[in-house]
Amino acid sequence: MTIEVLPESAVRVGATAPDRDAAIDLVGGMLVASGSVTSDYVAEMRAREKIVSTYLGNGIALPHGTNEARSAVKRTGLAVVQFPAGVPWGDEKAYLVIGLAALAEEHITILARLATILGDEEITKRLAATSDANEIWRTLTRSDDEPAADAGPPAHPDEFVRDLVITNPHGLHARPAAAVVARAREFDARVTLEANGRRADARSITALLGLGAAVGGRVRIVGRGGQAMQAVDAVSAILTSASEV
């Protein structure tokens, strides 16, 4: 992630907002001010939130526009606002709200990068409490080597494995990832997804976004437990769906 996508001026700490829409208006206004979007994009950010929550877990929300909002995007950009007291976001509270606007499929790389960093609970707690905006900027723009894939657990008698190519047109973007999490939690099984040299627990949306898995990408789904086959079938159905979910 470069400073062109997230300039230092696009990070604000110590903000307050009474509700989710007010927080979206604030971070969306920063995207407008930075020249990334037109004012129409902010309304589309609120519209997406009514369709599906962009809360990722760990006190992080990542509001962005609907597909119809692409015409309001001038260039790819991010804006970050910290709310130390939190903002109600459904049943949770968001302490770090990251507004995203992206051209084409650039959002997939950005989401993967953010999820890799913000999937670390200790990091998110630190960023939610810091009074230094530059600390947040440095953390989100740092350049780290990609984590290497590990060998994974040995084969297990109750293990079920499937390799597939993602045909869902939205890949593992926020809404399909949320659908995977919801389905994975219904079964007596532990499910992991492996892609791009990374492994993610199917019950963690931040981990799934961190895979950076797009349409056409190969994924290995590993289920373990009494309902491993059913769980893998359910997750596979989402990844190969012809629609977003």
Side-chain angles (χ1 to χ4, degrees), residues 126-211:
R126 174 167 54 82
L127 298 186
T130 184
S131 59
D132 182 4
N134 189 256
E135 180 180 3
I136 295 175
W137 179 81
R138 290 195 311 269
T139 300
L140 297 183
T141 59
R142 72 187 183 195
S143 178
D144 293 334
D145 293 333
E146 285 190 356
D150 58 33
H156 214 264
D158 62 353
E159 186 174 88
F160 187 79
V161 179
R162 177 174 296 155
D163 293 296
L164 57 78
V165 174
I166 298 176
T167 56
N168 186 308
H170 297 273
L172 257 179
H173 186 37
R175 194 171 182 183
V180 168
V181 170
R183 289 293 279 144
R185 288 176 175 172
E186 295 176 4
F187 299 96
D188 178 21
R190 181 190 176 198
V191 181
T192 58
L193 277 68
E194 301 170 9
N196 299 321
R198 301 183 177 97
R199 177 180 294 112
D201 185 335
R203 300 186 183 199
S204 167
I205 193 168
T206 52
L208 291 176
L209 292 174
L211 293 176

Side-chain angles (χ1 to χ4, degrees), residues 8-78:
E8 289 185 72
S9 59
V11 180
R12 176 177 171 182
V13 298
T16 60
D19 54 37
R20 186 176 62 189
D21 282 351
I24 291 174
D25 286 347
L26 179 55
V27 74
M30 292 171 65
L31 287 172
V32 173
S34 71
S36 294
V37 301
T38 69
S39 58
D40 292 339
Y41 189 78
V42 183
E44 294 296 335
M45 292 171 77
R46 292 196 301 268
R48 172 172 283 278
E49 210 64 44
K50 290 180 172 61
I51 298 170
V52 61
S53 175
T54 59
Y55 182 80
L56 301 181
N58 283 353
I60 308 296
L62 198 137
H64 51 287
T66 61
N67 291 334
E68 290 72 22
R70 291 284 175 86
S71 61
V73 178
K74 297 179 179 179
R75 61 179 178 83
T76 297
L78 292 170

